[in-house]
Every structure is written in structure tokens, then in C-alpha cells.
Amino acid sequence: MAISEKIVLEKHDTENEQMYLKAIWLLEEDKVNPIHASEVAKLLKISLPSTVEMLKKLDSKGLLKYSGREGILLNKPKGRKIAETVVRNLRLAELLFRDVLKIDPNSDSVCRFEHVITDEMAGAIRKLLGNPQKCPHGKAIPVL
Ligand SMILES: [Zn+2]
């Protein structure tokens, strides 16, 4: 495998993990308790077996706690930090798209963009937008 191919795959891997962690964080925000794999699968529109496989992987990487009975606990600092970072990026991106770029904040482009925003970029976007507290959907923007 060419090196560039490997990098693309690893990047894809990370983005995929971020999507799961974000989904679990959003379910938690919506007070879903306990959070089961089926809820995550539904939210991400991914099959239940694939979701379970990924949850086991995230558990083995120490990013969350997953058990079939008790569900998913986003109780690992590293996993929470990744989830909160992606949610922050998502909500800042929604505002940036709507207010500056004049792109629909519900566009798929937001979902692409949220994974490439660094802390430095997030800080600059926040400043540019006048330190907003809420996204276009009225949800709080996490501060890390
Ligand atoms: Zn939003």
C-alpha cells in the first residue's frame, strides 16, 4: 500500500471514530439514558452489527465503556474530549457557514468541515463570530 493511501485510510478511520463519539455525546445531551448501540446506529444510519463492532473497538482503545446490557458510557476523558471537540467544531462551522459563507448550516459540507477544524481555527472562528454561545439550532457550543 502506498504511504499516501495509508494516510487517507487512517484519517478516514479517525473521522469515523469521531462520528461515533459525537453521536453518543449528542444522545447524552438529549438525555437518552441508558444509551444503547441501537440508538447510535439509528442516529448515524449505520447497521447495528457495524455499530456494535465500532463500539467494541472504541472501548478497547479506552475511549468509552461499552457493554450490551448497560449500554454506552462516555466516561473516559480522552473520548469525551474528542466528542466535545467535534461538537464544538460542528456548531462553530454551522454558524460560520450560515453567517459568513452563506451556505445552509445543514449542508453535508458542515459534516466534512467539522473534522478538520483545529483548536487554533476554532478560536479564530469564535472570535470572528463575536463569541457566540449557541448554534443555529439553539444548542450550546461547548467550551473546552
Ligand atoms: Zn446545530
Side-chain angles (χ1 to χ4, degrees):
M1 190 187 296
I3 289 174
S4 60
E5 236 175 286
K6 190 162 179 277
I7 289 169
V8 168
L9 282 181
E10 276 171 9
K11 209 178 132 221
H12 183 77
D13 226 38
T14 312
E15 271 193 25
N16 206 15
E17 288 178 18
Q18 289 175 355
M19 289 307 292
Y20 278 85
L21 292 165
K22 178 180 90 167
I24 296 156
W25 196 95
L26 293 174
L27 288 165
E28 202 183 85
E29 183 183 49
D30 281 346
K31 313 263 184 269
V32 175
N33 182 27
I35 299 169
H36 289 294
S38 55
E39 270 117 11
V40 177
K42 204 168 88 186
L43 188 63
L44 292 175
K45 300 185 178 73
I46 291 168
S47 76
L48 186 57
S50 308
T51 303
V52 168
E53 194 183 317
M54 185 55 141
L55 290 170
K56 285 180 182 162
K57 186 181 161 196
L58 292 170
D59 183 306
S60 73
K61 289 180 89 170
L63 296 171
L64 51 75
K65 191 87 202 71
Y66 171 64
S67 83
R69 269 173 71 95
E70 289 151 49
I72 307 149
L73 289 173
L74 197 52
N75 58 358
K76 308 283 179 182
K78 199 179 163 201
R80 284 203 82 79
K81 174 125 196 272
I82 294 170
E84 274 167 15
T85 302
V86 180
V87 174
R88 175 201 66 187
N89 292 352
L90 160 71
R91 293 179 177 166
L92 285 173
E94 287 173 348
L95 286 170
L96 180 74
F97 275 49
R98 185 192 68 179
D99 297 347
V100 181
L101 306 178
K102 313 296 177 200
I103 297 173
D104 179 357
N106 302 308
S107 147
D108 281 346
S109 306
V110 174
C111 200
R112 300 281 298 278
F113 196 63
E114 71 188 17
H115 300 285
V116 299
I117 300 176
T118 62
D119 286 346
E120 186 182 26
M121 289 158 73
I125 295 168
R126 210 188 273 277
K127 202 171 152 195
L128 174 74
L129 298 173
N131 198 26
Q133 306 299 308
K134 298 209 151 119
C135 82
H137 308 96
K139 302 275 193 174
I141 301 170
V143 178
L144 298 161

